[in-house]
Amino acid sequence: MTIFRRTRIIEWGECDAAGIVYYPNFYRWMDGHYHHLTVSLGFDQRSLQTDFGLLATPLIDTGCTFAVPASYGDELRIDLAIAHIGTTSLRLDYRFSRDETPIAKGFEARVFVVRLADGTIEKAPIPPAIRTMLEPYLSDA
C-alpha cells in the first residue's frame, strides 16, 4: 500500500482565539488533500467531466476525531490511504500528525456521479482507468 503524504505549516488565520486550529479546517484539508491526490494521479474534477462523462465525486459522509491540539506554526503531516473502493464509491482515511504525535484522524466517503439528461444526478461506476490509478493507495486493513 502506498500512502499519499503532504505537509503544511499551520497559519495564524487557521487558529481560533485560543491559538488552536479551528476544527473546520481539518475538513477543508481533507478535501484539498483528496484533490491533490487525484491531480498527482493525472485526473481532476474537470477531466472527470471531459474524459469520462462524469459530473464529480461529491461527499456522502465525513467525520473527524481529534486527539491533541495543533497550533500556529506547527508542521502538520497529512497521510491519506484508501480504505475501500466500491463499484461507485470510495472511502478515504486521513491521519494528521505533528512529528510522531497523532493530532487527528478523519475520513471521507465519496461517490462518482453523472448528471442525467433530465438534470437529476445519480451514482455511476468508477471508470476502470481511475480505479487502476487509485488501487495502489488501497489499505491492507
Side-chain angles (χ1 to χ4, degrees), residues 42-54 127 129-130 133:
F43 71 96
D44 62 15
Q45 299 300 297
R46 282 196 180 115
S47 67
L48 285 177
Q49 295 173 15
T50 59
D51 299 342
F52 298 98
L54 297 168
I130 290 178
M133 288 184 253

Side-chain angles (χ1 to χ4, degrees), residues 48 52-60 87-89 110-127:
L48 285 177
F52 298 98
L54 297 168
L55 179 60
T57 56
L59 288 172
I60 55 172
T87 303
T88 61
S89 64
R110 292 180 174 270
V111 65
F112 286 70
V113 297
V114 63
R115 185 182 306 275
L116 301 178
D118 66 2
T120 60
I121 297 171
E122 73 175 26
K123 60 186 178 177
I126 299 171

Side-chain angles (χ1 to χ4, degrees), residues 55-77:
L55 179 60
T57 56
L59 288 172
I60 55 172
D61 195 10
T62 188
C64 197
T65 302
F66 307 96
V68 299
S71 188
Y72 170 65
D74 288 349
E75 182 176 50
L76 193 65
R77 186 177 75 212

Side-chain angles (χ1 to χ4, degrees), residues 1-5 37 41 79-82 93 133-140:
M1 170 192 66
T2 303
I3 292 174
F4 184 70
R5 175 175 290 163
L37 169 67
L41 295 176
D79 291 339
L80 179 158
I82 299 174
D93 284 343
M133 288 184 253
L134 295 170
E135 283 176 343
Y137 297 91
L138 189 58
S139 66
D140 301 327

Side-chain angles (χ1 to χ4, degrees), residues 98-114:
R98 178 183 54 238
D99 299 319
E100 297 307 311
T101 303
I103 301 296
K105 60 183 178 178
F107 75 92
E108 292 181 321
R110 292 180 174 270
V111 65
F112 286 70
V113 297
V114 63

